[in-house]
């Protein structure tokens, strides 16, 4: 029905397109700039390296927010065209679902940005990131008791992120992976 059209579109977009866009952007923003040696001028500025890294994360998260807003706008327009304005009755819960999807994309941003710092080429970082994502999903399938603690599970269960235990796990992952990323970025050679 038109009321659930926007959530249905989001579920399709969160399966592959949106995480893949974020994955490619995060890898190019970190590994790509080191590979092209474009980061050299930025590192010469009188700015701490951790500020540069946090700025990169913020820019990628802004891009993720733009993708989420564009998807929301297009899906609401589609719902109104298909079912009329009655489909807007669930708008607050739809916006909340899209907000939680943004939080999941932000988690992907932080994790992939850290992982990309360990590679010299973007292609190797991209392939490794995708393989690691599949490995986490396989671990979750074969060892169900670990599933609740994996970042891939949190990213896939974006509709339920506002439950207390999942939200605390999400915040913990943000803190852990951001701090690890800052440490790795500070030691990475330009």
């Amino acid at each position: 029905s038109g009321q659930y059209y926007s959530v249905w579109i989001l579920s399709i977009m969160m399966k592959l397109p949106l995480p893949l866009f974020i994955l490619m952007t995060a890898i190019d923003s970190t590994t790509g700039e080191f590979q092209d040696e474009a980061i050299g001028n930025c590192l010469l500025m009188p700015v701490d390296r951790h500020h540069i890294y946090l700025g990169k994360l913020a820019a990628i998260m802004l891009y993720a927010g733009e993708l989420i807003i564009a998807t929301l706008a297009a899906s609401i327009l589609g719902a109104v065209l298909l079912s009329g304005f009655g489909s807007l009755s669930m708008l607050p819960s739809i916006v909340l679902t899209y907000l939680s999807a943004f939080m999941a994309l932000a988690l992907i941003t932080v994790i992939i940005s850290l992982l990309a710092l360990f590679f010299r080429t973007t292609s190797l970082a991209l392939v490794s990131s995708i393989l690691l994502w599949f490995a986490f999903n396989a671990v979750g399938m074969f060892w169900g008791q670990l599933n609740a603690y994996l970042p891939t599970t949190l990213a896939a269960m974006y509709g339920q992120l506002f439950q207390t235990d999942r939200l605390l796990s999400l915040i913990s992952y943000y803190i852990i992976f951001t701090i690890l990323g800052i440490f790795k970025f500070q030691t990475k050679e330009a």
Side-chain angles (χ1 to χ4, degrees), residues 30-76:
T30 51
T31 305
E33 288 188 2
F34 279 99
Q35 180 181 349
D36 299 340
E37 297 177 3
I39 193 80
N41 291 334
C42 190
L43 295 177
L44 293 175
M45 295 173 48
V47 178
D48 291 335
R49 277 183 161 223
H50 71 276
H51 288 118
I52 295 170
Y53 182 73
L54 292 174
K56 287 180 174 300
L57 288 179
I60 300 166
M61 288 180 194
L62 179 66
Y63 175 64
E66 291 170 353
L67 288 174
I68 288 290
I69 290 170
T71 305
L72 175 64
S75 67
I76 288 175

Side-chain angles (χ1 to χ4, degrees), residues 14-179:
M14 285 295 287
K15 295 278 190 245
L16 183 66
L18 292 178
L20 190 60
F21 289 154
I22 296 303
L23 180 106
M24 291 186 306
T25 304
I27 288 172
D28 192 44
S29 174
T30 51
T31 305
E33 288 188 2
F34 279 99
Q35 180 181 349
D36 299 340
E37 297 177 3
I39 193 80
N41 291 334
C42 190
L43 295 177
L44 293 175
M45 295 173 48
V47 178
D48 291 335
R49 277 183 161 223
H50 71 276
H51 288 118
I52 295 170
Y53 182 73
L54 292 174
K56 287 180 174 300
L57 288 179
I60 300 166
M61 288 180 194
L62 179 66
Y63 175 64
E66 291 170 353
L67 288 174
I68 288 290
I69 290 170
T71 305
L72 175 64
S75 67
I76 288 175
L77 180 64
V80 168
L81 291 175
L82 290 174
S83 302
F85 287 102
S87 60
L88 296 178
S89 64
M90 304 260 313
L91 190 60
S93 65
I94 291 170
V95 170
L96 192 62
T97 303
Y98 274 75
L99 178 64
S100 63
F102 167 74
M103 292 170 59
L105 287 177
L107 177 63
I108 292 170
T109 299
V110 173
I111 293 170
I112 296 303
S113 294
L114 167 65
L115 184 64
L117 290 171
F118 288 94
F119 298 98
R120 294 204 176 272
T121 65
T122 55
S123 57
L124 186 60
L126 180 65
V127 169
S128 299
S129 299
I130 291 172
L131 290 176
L132 184 65
W133 191 265
F134 285 135
F136 275 146
N137 283 324
V139 166
M141 283 191 321
F142 292 115
W143 293 285
Q145 65 271 20
L146 295 176
N147 209 19
Y149 304 107
L150 296 173
T152 52
T153 304
L154 287 173
M157 300 180 77
Y158 57 87
Q160 303 165 356
L161 281 181
F162 290 113
Q163 296 173 355
T164 305
D165 58 336
R166 289 196 176 97
L167 190 59
L168 290 175
S169 295
L170 182 77
I171 293 169
S172 300
Y173 280 128
Y174 279 142
I175 293 169
I176 291 168
F177 288 117
T178 301
I179 290 172

Side-chain angles (χ1 to χ4, degrees), residues 3-24:
Q3 293 176 338
Y4 299 105
Y5 181 77
S6 296
V7 176
W8 178 69
I9 293 294
L10 179 65
S11 68
I12 291 171
M13 294 298 286
M14 285 295 287
K15 295 278 190 245
L16 183 66
L18 292 178
L20 190 60
F21 289 154
I22 296 303
L23 180 106
M24 291 186 306

